Structure formats: structure tokens, C-alpha cells
Amino acid sequence: MRIRNVDFRIIDLPLVRPFRTSFGTQVDRRILVAEVKTEEGFTGWSECVAMTEPLYSSEYLFECFDIIKRFFLPALFAKGEFRAEEIQSILAPFLGHPMAKATVETACLDAQLRSEKKSLASLLGAVKSKVECGVSVGIASSIPALVDEVTGYVEEGYRRIKLKIEPGWDIEPVGKVRELFPEIPLQVDANQAYQRSDGKHLAQLDQFNLLLIEQPLDEHDIVGHAKLAEVTKTPICLDESIISLQSAQDAIAMGATTVINIKPGRASGYLESQRIHDYCQSVSIPVWCGGMLETGIGRAANVALAALPGFTLP
């Protein structure tokens, strides 16, 4: 392909309800949408999953906007003709910024696939036409409020409940939800809120038969996660720590994780996410596709990825 031009839109979408995690509360979602048009007359879309502030990740929305305009697009225009599969190597001299790279690659990949009359699902190797969906439940104002929210989601048919936790909001609320819903698949997500010294405390979650504890420690603390895995029976799942195939391979080799949450926007895009999936499947590590409060643009692509055979969790 050869890019003709790229248009950007910044969209503010209100959330259905405030979404509180260990790093803050969101009431709306500001999203950068990219529209790539090729010289061949095809259009591709993507969205950037970076948050407005560098709280979940060191990347943030306007930083991504800047580096895409200032460095990534000039590099692609200078290249001239290329395929979407080449983008990561073209942008490799620019260190980091996986969310910004994913934004560019996904839009170009969308345009390329439209020109080839091929779906993203078929390219990635999807084997399902529908996937089971879970829901992420933020930190509530009270346990009764949490119960009301979870009950509503269960009644709507969600197949898995994920509870956000932090110090002071963990054992009691998780225990209450498990008491009321003893059979539903249940997991927790700490978003890096705990320390290595919290191992014995987090081990109290073992009694609730959880699918996993997601990202309890800092994203860089792979050794800490390996140590934590030695004192908890509940599987440790890494999220923020997994930014590439190499990071996944290293974490698995060190025993830091036995489940991985693959987020394409955080892992430089869907092609690298496919490689992470393929490796995890080869070593029998279950994976699931996480969300970043995307619009339908990002969710449609996530569903295509989640239809791969190794995605065995909702």
C-alpha cells in the first residue's frame, strides 16, 4: 500500500457509570481515532487505547498523537510502498510507544485487508464466529452497590465477572460476590496496586476459587510476581507487564505468570498479539483478550482476536 493521507478525530464518550480502579476514576473516555486513506482508494480505521493521563501506562493520548504525527507518519511516507506487516520494523528505530504503534498498524492493516477483501479474523486465524464475553466491575462505593452492579451483569448474561481490587477493597467484597454467585467464573484485577510484602494477604483470596489474580504488582516487577506465585494457589495473570512476545516469553520462563491477558493496543497491535497467542498456545498457557474501554472500532477487532483457539477464557 501507499498512504495518501491520515485524518484524526478526538472523541469524548461518557461512560454508563463511573469506572473506578486502583489508579483513578473515569467518568468519560477520550479517544483518538485514526482514519488512513491509501493511494489505491481504500480506507482503514483504528483507535488509540491510551488514556488521557499517564496513569495506567507511561503512554498518554496526546503523546501518542504527537509521536504519530512527528515521527511515525513521516517514516511511513518516506518508505513509500509497504505492507502492514512491515510497519513494526519500519518504526523499530523509535523506541517504545506500543499504543501509538498499534494505532498506526491497525489502521493500515484495516485498509490493506479491505483492498484484499479479507477479514481480520481470517488473517489472524479465528476459529469461532462468537466469543464468550466477561465484564470488568470497578471499585464500588459500598458492598451493597457492588452487589447490585454484579447482579445486573449476571442477569444480562455476562459469562465472567472481573472485580477491580486495591488494598482495603479486596477480601470482603470478593467474598461477598462469591457467596452470592458460587458458580460464576470470577477473577480480580489489582492494576499494580500491591507490594511484594502483600503475598500472605493476597493468598487469602485462594478460598474464593478465582480464575486468576491479575497484575497485583508493578508492571516491571517480574521477579516479584514469580515470588508471589509461590505463595498463592490462585493463578497469577499478567496484563500491563505483557507488551511484546519477548516479555511474555520471559515472564512465563520465570514462573511469573500462568495466564496472560493480551491487549493488542498495549502489545503494539494485532500481529504481535497473534504471535503472543501462538507462543502461549504452544506452551499451554491460557490467554484472554482484555479491553481498554474501546469504542466499537476497537472492540470489533478485539472480538476477531478473541476468536483464535488459544483464547479459552472469556
Side-chain angles (χ1 to χ4, degrees), residues 38-94:
T38 70
E39 293 287 0
E40 298 79 17
F42 295 94
T43 300
W45 294 85
S46 71
E47 66 176 276
C48 181
V49 301
M51 302 292 183
T52 307
E53 301 174 286
L55 299 175
Y56 169 83
S57 163
S58 59
E59 287 187 270
Y60 61 95
L61 188 141
F62 284 102
E63 174 198 41
C64 291
F65 193 17
D66 181 69
I67 197 167
I68 290 171
K69 292 192 301 178
R70 192 185 300 264
F71 297 104
F72 293 176
L73 292 183
L76 294 180
F77 280 117
K79 179 70 174 178
E81 289 188 352
F82 60 89
R83 288 187 59 80
E85 292 85 347
E86 301 176 72
I87 290 176
Q88 292 302 324
S89 62
I90 296 171
L91 301 182
F94 306 110

Side-chain angles (χ1 to χ4, degrees), residues 255-291:
T257 186
T258 52
V259 184
I260 284 180
N261 174 0
I262 301 178
K263 288 180 177 173
R266 191 202 53 232
S268 295
Y270 291 87
L271 299 180
E272 184 74 353
S273 295
Q274 178 192 37
R275 288 187 279 270
I276 296 171
H277 161 274
D278 292 350
Y279 177 76
C280 288
Q281 191 176 30
S282 73
V283 294
S284 301
I285 295 291
V287 299
W288 57 285
C289 181

Side-chain angles (χ1 to χ4, degrees), residues 7-182:
D7 292 326
F8 295 96
R9 295 167 178 81
I10 294 177
I11 300 169
D12 288 310
L13 292 179
L15 301 185
V16 173
R17 59 171 58 85
F19 187 62
R20 183 185 162 203
T21 66
S22 61
F23 59 83
T25 301
Q26 288 181 263
V27 296
D28 56 20
R29 185 74 164 97
R30 174 163 287 183
I31 297 163
L32 176 66
V33 176
E35 179 188 12
V36 167
K37 295 180 181 178
T38 70
E39 293 287 0
E40 298 79 17
F42 295 94
T43 300
W45 294 85
S46 71
E47 66 176 276
C48 181
V49 301
M51 302 292 183
T52 307
E53 301 174 286
L55 299 175
Y56 169 83
S57 163
S58 59
E59 287 187 270
Y60 61 95
L61 188 141
F62 284 102
E63 174 198 41
C64 291
F65 193 17
D66 181 69
I67 197 167
I68 290 171
K69 292 192 301 178
R70 192 185 300 264
F71 297 104
F72 293 176
L73 292 183
L76 294 180
F77 280 117
K79 179 70 174 178
E81 289 188 352
F82 60 89
R83 288 187 59 80
E85 292 85 347
E86 301 176 72
I87 290 176
Q88 292 302 324
S89 62
I90 296 171
L91 301 182
F94 306 110
L95 302 181
H97 301 283
M99 294 181 181
K101 289 177 178 177
T103 305
V104 174
E105 182 188 83
T106 303
C108 291
L109 184 61
D110 186 29
Q112 177 178 299
L113 289 171
R114 291 175 190 275
S115 73
E116 297 171 350
K117 295 182 171 56
K118 181 184 291 186
S119 71
L120 177 61
S122 64
L123 173 76
L124 297 176
V127 296
K128 296 173 281 188
S129 60
K130 295 181 179 180
V131 299
E132 289 189 311
C133 182
V135 66
S136 182
V137 183
I139 296 169
S141 58
S142 66
I143 289 181
L146 175 68
V147 168
D148 287 345
E149 187 173 349
V150 171
T151 300
Y153 287 133
V154 172
E155 291 174 349
E156 288 180 36
Y158 285 96
R159 303 298 179 88
R160 180 266 292 147
I161 300 295
K162 178 170 85 168
L163 302 178
K164 295 289 187 178
I165 61 171
E166 65 179 2
W169 180 268
D170 43 33
I171 309 303
E172 187 177 359
V174 174
K176 186 62 176 179
V177 171
R178 175 50 85 207
E179 175 189 345
L180 294 174
F181 302 99

